[in-house]
Amino acid sequence: ITLQIKPMQHNKPLSIKDKSYSDLYLNIRDDWDPILAKAGHDIVLHVQKSPLSYLEQIQFASFRRIIEINISDFQLKNLLNYFCGQRAPLLKYHFAIIEDDYITTITQEDLAEADKTGLFYHPKTGEKVDNYEEKIYVMYDLNDKFTELKKKS
C-alpha cells in the first residue's frame, strides 16, 4: 500500500536529507498501518517545520490539532509512546504537577517513587500533595538528539 501524504503549506521546503528524519519516516512506515503511519508522519513534519521554542511541554491535545486524520485517544497515546521509545526517539516524556495554576516539572524518578509508596511530596515546597494522581500531567518535549538537529538547522 502506498501512503499518500498531503503536502503541507510552508515557506521553505522541508528536507529529509538528514538520516535521523529519514530513518524516522521509514520506521513509521514499516511499523504502523497506513492510517497511523500518516498520523506519525504528520507529527514528524510538525517537528521539522516548527521553531524549537514550540517543541517544549507539548500537551496531548496539541497533537490532536497536529495530525490531520481522526484516530482514537488510545491510538494517539500508543503513537506518542512509540515516539518516546528506542525505535523512533523523537520525543521524551515531560511530567509536571499543576496546582493552583502553577506548573512544576517533576522527574520520572519522583513519579516512580510516588507510585511505589503512594505518597508524593512537592519538589519545591517539600509538602505532601494529596490526590497527586489528579494533579500530575504528561507532556512531551523534543528528544535531545532532535533538539540538537533543530539547533543546527
Side-chain angles (χ1 to χ4, degrees), residues 39-150:
H41 287 162
D42 289 346
I43 291 170
V44 175
L45 281 171
H46 177 78
V47 166
Q48 283 186 280
K49 72 173 190 158
S50 296
L52 188 55
S53 60
Y54 289 11
L55 300 171
E56 296 176 347
Q57 297 182 16
I58 308 168
Q59 297 178 2
F60 183 83
S62 298
F63 288 105
R64 280 256 163 252
R65 291 186 295 276
I66 291 167
I67 58 175
E68 297 181 358
I69 59 174
N70 188 25
I71 62 174
S72 71
D73 284 351
F74 179 77
Q75 290 170 315
L76 182 54
K77 286 176 187 174
N78 282 338
L79 194 56
L80 294 173
N81 287 339
Y82 173 78
F83 282 127
C84 290
Q86 295 295 317
R87 178 103 167 120
L90 180 67
L91 303 171
K92 62 182 178 182
Y93 297 108
H94 181 115
F95 298 99
I97 184 164
I98 302 175
E99 281 190 302
D100 303 321
D101 295 329
Y102 291 101
I103 299 174
T104 305
T105 297
I106 59 174
T107 66
Q108 281 186 292
E109 292 79 21
D110 290 338
L111 189 55
E113 182 66 23
D115 286 342
K116 182 178 166 183
T117 64
L119 301 171
F120 181 80
Y121 295 93
H122 197 282
K124 287 195 176 175
T125 66
E127 294 178 15
K128 181 181 174 216
V129 177
D130 294 323
N131 302 317
Y132 71 91
E133 301 94 341
E134 298 170 8
K135 300 171 186 175
I136 293 178
Y137 294 85
V138 179
M139 294 177 270
Y140 302 87
D141 293 332
L142 191 59
N143 180 291
D144 296 340
K145 175 182 177 180
F146 286 93
T147 298
E148 289 305 313
L149 282 175
K150 293 289 288 180

Side-chain angles (χ1 to χ4, degrees), residues 4-21:
Q4 297 294 323
I5 297 178
K6 177 180 160 188
M8 299 189 64
Q9 300 296 321
H10 45 77
N11 295 334
K12 67 179 189 176
L14 297 176
S15 168
I16 60 168
K17 68 181 180 208
D18 184 282
K19 184 172 176 9
S20 298
Y21 284 114

